[in-house]
Amino acid sequence: MSKNIDPTAVFKLSYGLFVLTAKDGDKDNGCIINTCTQLTSEPLTVSVCVNKSNLTHDMIVKTGVFNVSVLTQETPFETFTFFGFQSGRDTDKFAFDAAYGRSENGLYYLKYFSNAFLSAKVINTVDCGTHTLFIAEITESAVLSDEPSVTYEYYHKNIKPKPAAKKKGYVCRICGYIHEEETLPDDFICPICGHGASDFEAL
Ligand code: FE
């Protein structure tokens, strides 16, 4: 890379963070992506750029459909580590079914910490070396909440933990909400998804 290129300069673009989901047969998968851009309004098209090392990428190549869930500023760090910026073959990311909905195309979208989802059908692909650029037409979309979308800059400033600042508390296994207290009352109800204390585990 040229010494005249500072790769962090692109952070100033303040692009968002999204959960990309796909499905191949019975298997669902998802990963975090940081680019989803509207291209045209007639037809309504978007582009997403996906690292080829993701299993989610391979599913989209095979099936030609994907969903994008737009993450909000309330998204806890655990959601980012859970989905990861790369999706492998081994973990079942959708074990807690109550946290997700299915759109008309049969793919999952996030019900919590997401303010909108898009379903899209690939109409063109561009091989970009490490990544594939998918150009896709929107087939379904919905607004889910008024929470502001998270930007990459916001994520780095406010969500990603600073080193050595380990959190204490309990995480909701359904939606990922963090209760930042020493104790969790037995009658505690998750303020995001409404599930009880038995669905929480210590961080
Ligand atoms: Fe919850």
Side-chain angles (χ1 to χ4, degrees), residues 99 112-113 171-178 188-196 199-200:
Y112 306 107
F113 309 125
V171 58
C172 173
R173 290 181 300 175
I174 306 297
C175 75
Y177 170 79
I178 307 286
F188 188 79
I189 299 293
C190 176
I192 302 285
C193 74
H195 286 75
D199 284 317
F200 277 73

Side-chain angles (χ1 to χ4, degrees), residues 54-68:
N54 286 304
L55 182 58
T56 308
H57 167 276
D58 297 350
M59 287 179 168
I60 296 170
V61 168
K62 197 169 162 188
T63 63
V65 287
F66 61 85
N67 279 358
V68 170

Side-chain angles (χ1 to χ4, degrees), residues 86-100:
Q86 291 196 4
S87 57
R89 269 151 239 275
D90 302 329
T91 49
D92 182 2
K93 301 187 179 189
F94 303 95
F96 298 103
D97 197 63
Y100 310 102

